Amino acid sequence: MSSQYTVAKFGGTSVANYPAMLRCAQIIHNDNQVRLVTVSASAGVTNHLVTLTQQKANESQRLALVEAVVAIQDAILQQLTLDTDLAKGFEQTLDEFKSLALLPALSTQQCDEMLSFGERLSSFLFTQVLRNLGVNADRFDARKVLKTDNRFGKATPDIVATAEAAQSHLIPLLERKVIVTQGFIGSDPYGQTTTLGRGGSDYSAALLAEAIKAQSIHIWTDVVGIFSTDPRLCSKATPIARLSFDEAAEMATFGAKVLHPATILPASRSGIAVFVGSSRDPQAGGTWIEREKSNLQGIRAVTQRKNQILLTLKSPEMLLASGFLARIFTILSEYNISVDLVTTSEISVAITLDNAQNSSRPELDQACLEQLSKFCHVTVENNLTLVALIGSQIQLKQHQMNLMQVLSDFNIRLICHGASKHNLCFLVEQSHSDHVVQSIHAQLLESA
Ligand code: ADP
Ligand code: ASP
Ligand code: MG
């Protein structure tokens, strides 16, 4: 049976500094259904931590990065006095961070440990901001419940183990208090720290909501909902009041950064409604994502995902032979590589892979390429962007004319449509992609 609880998630800009944290604390103070709060690291912190893990930095650069992280915490601490329990934990965590940052080389497990410090630190500070408003709040270590495998950098959650741990350790606490926990981080079966991949706090909020059987998830960010395209790119982008789980999942998958790609999975699996709104302007409304099928047909949004890799694998020997695709996909799955778009001909296959910038784990490694090269000719193209039109019942014939008109100005590398009526995707050169998105938005979404 589901509870009445709401899980609230606050992203990096929402907890970037003291005034921002205070606005978020007020949102919780005004909504007594919120019992579990998931916070990100303060804006900028995870980027510094990623640089620390990349081992390009020499000792003095590492010290500068540590200083930059500490300065962000200190600016918030100047406005707060931490209660003894929080002060003790905060100092200890900061000491652990400083010691790890001294090491010149880190194992993949230590990299995740390093990346975890942003959320671990911000959650101490945010708990105090809530307490100062009179909210009965405690901090809770997400690693006690968010159980994952040990694929460091992009761990896969263990849903059953997470639900069991939440039942034993977390749900009893929610009856009496508002619990503040960390997004993005979890732990493997041996208790070692893991992370869910960049932007993973949204996913954590959804996983925890599922584990505590919450009724809704509120994602508080820096925009008043999900827009028809990134509002930073198109000033005429408009917020979308309602989206189905399918539409929202497609948007997140194909680059609407406002939601981590996997966020909708637990929500849709467990029927938990998701709201996306702005912590700067909570009264302004936002987007509700729910199970109901959208009765609005056609294109509702355009998204883009930069830094895509196009792999073309060719083998003339495969003409009329079977098993070529199976061989390729077996190797890709051995390397845990997830494929987005696929097009095939008799002797070749072209696939796209994500190579997210600032990721702590690159998608394509050399060993995988070597394996593939043993039986086919492999070409790798970089600097591409995947542009996706998202909606319901998208039918190419309805948009063909307008779309061809827009796209005729650009070099289209690959087109995919048909597997789902929720998207129509193509690959363009990265240097043109902002312009492509703006033109498509103007032609297909601003006149509608
Ligand atoms: P947070 O730190 O709160 O997780 P993010 O930076 O990850 O926030 O996501 C919010 C950003 O997502 C917005 O500032 C916006 O620029 C970007 N974005 C991209 N596509 C969209 C879209 N379709 N609708 C709304 N925001 C979008
Ligand atoms: N702090 C992590 C990141 O910047 C997770 C998140 O904010 O969602 O990627
Ligand atoms: Mg985010």
Side-chain angles (χ1 to χ4, degrees):
M1 209 182 78
S2 89
S3 70
Q4 295 299 304
Y5 298 147
T6 292
V7 175
K9 178 260 172 176
F10 296 96
T13 45
S14 299
V15 294
N17 49 46
Y18 177 74
M21 282 196 176
L22 194 55
R23 282 194 292 271
C24 300
Q26 261 145 4
I27 292 174
I28 294 165
H29 185 253
N30 295 341
D31 182 351
N32 58 21
Q33 286 188 333
V34 177
R35 290 302 174 78
L36 184 62
V37 181
T38 310
V39 291
S40 286
S42 300
V45 170
T46 310
N47 283 349
H48 292 318
L49 299 175
V50 169
T51 314
L52 273 167
T53 63
Q54 284 169 342
Q55 295 162 22
K56 288 182 207 145
N58 60 32
E59 197 182 332
S60 74
Q61 286 164 329
R62 283 206 304 278
L63 285 174
L65 287 162
V66 171
E67 280 309 306
V69 171
V70 171
I72 295 171
Q73 320 302 318
D74 276 353
I76 302 170
L77 266 179
Q78 273 170 17
Q79 317 277 334
L80 289 173
T81 307
L82 294 183
D83 293 343
T84 321
D85 59 330
L86 296 175
K88 199 169 150 219
F90 181 85
E91 286 308 325
Q92 229 167 31
T93 309
L94 207 56
D95 288 345
E96 274 179 48
F97 162 57
K98 289 177 181 168
S99 323
L100 194 62
L102 287 179
L103 302 182
L106 301 178
S107 66
T108 51
Q109 197 285 312
Q110 285 172 319
C111 286
D112 266 8
E113 194 71 37
M114 177 65 84
L115 296 180
S116 73
F117 285 111
E119 273 71 9
R120 286 163 65 189
L121 291 170
S122 65
S123 53
F124 284 108
L125 304 177
F126 189 67
T127 306
Q128 188 65 54
V129 178
L130 273 178
R131 285 186 185 173
N132 290 359
L133 277 190
V135 177
N136 187 6
D138 256 345
R139 179 186 179 277
F140 179 85
D141 195 318
R143 294 171 296 179
K144 280 192 203 143
V145 295
L146 213 152
K147 296 292 169 190
T148 71
D149 65 5
N150 66 356
R151 199 179 156 222
F152 301 111
K154 205 172 185 183
T156 302
D158 179 334
I159 313 299
V160 174
T162 300
E164 281 170 7
Q167 188 66 48
S168 320
H169 305 302
L170 183 57
I171 294 176
L173 305 177
L174 302 174
E175 283 167 23
R176 290 169 285 116
K177 295 203 173 198
V178 170
I179 297 298
V180 178
T181 195
Q182 308 78 33
F184 183 51
I185 70 173
S187 68
D188 75 359
Y190 300 101
Q192 303 183 99
T193 303
T194 56
T195 62
L196 300 179
R198 292 305 307 267
S201 293
D202 303 319
Y203 190 24
S204 297
L207 289 164
L208 293 172
E210 181 174 48
I212 66 159
K213 302 185 176 65
Q215 199 176 51
S216 54
I217 305 161
H218 293 177
I219 307 272
W220 294 103
T221 179
D222 58 358
V223 281
V224 293
I226 301 183
F227 282 63
S228 50
T229 195
D230 187 345
R232 283 180 209 267
L233 190 63
C234 283
S235 58
K236 290 195 179 156
T238 45
I240 303 173
R242 286 187 181 277
L243 281 171
S244 66
F245 282 133
D246 286 347
E247 291 168 329
E250 296 270 339
M251 283 190 75
T253 305
F254 289 116
K257 182 182 173 239
V258 62
L259 285 182
H260 177 275
T263 313
I264 299 300
L265 274 177
S268 129
R269 197 163 51 208
S270 302
I272 308 170
V274 182
F275 170 81
V276 180
S278 164
S279 64
R280 267 188 177 276
D281 195 1
Q283 304 305 326
T287 302
W288 275 103
I289 306 165
E290 288 161 319
R291 180 160 280 159
E292 275 80 53
K293 288 247 173 311
S294 166
N295 47 20
L296 288 168
Q297 296 196 349
I299 296 167
R300 305 192 68 194
V302 51
T303 59
Q304 64 170 324
R305 219 165 67 188
K306 295 191 174 177
N307 298 303
Q308 304 303 290
I309 299 172
L310 179 65
L311 266 191
T312 309
L313 305 129
K314 209 171 187 175
S315 174
E317 286 158 36
M318 289 299 145
L319 189 63
L320 301 178
S322 58
F324 182 44
L325 288 182
R327 254 176 116 177
I328 291 170
F329 283 96
T330 305
I331 292 174
L332 293 173
S333 100
E334 273 163 19
Y335 286 88
N336 261 313
I337 291 174
S338 104
V339 171
D340 290 316
L341 307 185
V342 185
T343 60
T344 60
S345 78
E346 270 294 347
I347 56 157
S348 64
V349 52
I351 58 183
T352 70
L353 315 172
D354 193 22
N355 194 31
Q357 233 181 0
N358 254 335
S359 161
S360 54
R361 193 176 191 286
E363 193 62 43
L364 184 61
D365 60 44
Q366 200 51 38
C368 174
L369 281 180
E370 278 164 20
Q371 287 262 11
L372 292 167
S373 302
K374 284 187 187 151
F375 66 97
C376 55
H377 180 73
V378 186
T379 322
V380 183
E381 289 171 63
N382 288 294
N383 301 323
L384 294 163
T385 297
L386 194 167
V387 175
L389 305 182
I390 311 287
S392 283
Q393 302 299 321
I394 296 181
Q395 293 186 14
L396 192 54
K397 65 173 188 242
Q398 282 170 2
H399 309 283
Q400 213 160 341
M401 290 305 287
N402 283 345
L403 202 55
M404 289 310 153
Q405 207 178 331
V406 178
L407 297 183
S408 61
D409 293 339
F410 304 99
N411 179 19
I412 307 298
R413 197 54 199 82
L414 176 151
I415 296 190
C416 268
H417 176 61
S420 147
K421 289 228 161 131
H422 290 292
N423 70 55
L424 190 165
C425 300
F426 43 87
L427 221 49
V428 297
E429 280 167 36
Q430 191 153 299
S431 53
H432 297 153
S433 69
D434 286 356
H435 194 180
V436 171
V437 171
Q438 285 159 338
S439 308
I440 290 177
H441 194 268
Q443 186 70 250
L444 298 181
L445 287 152
E446 286 169 30
S447 50

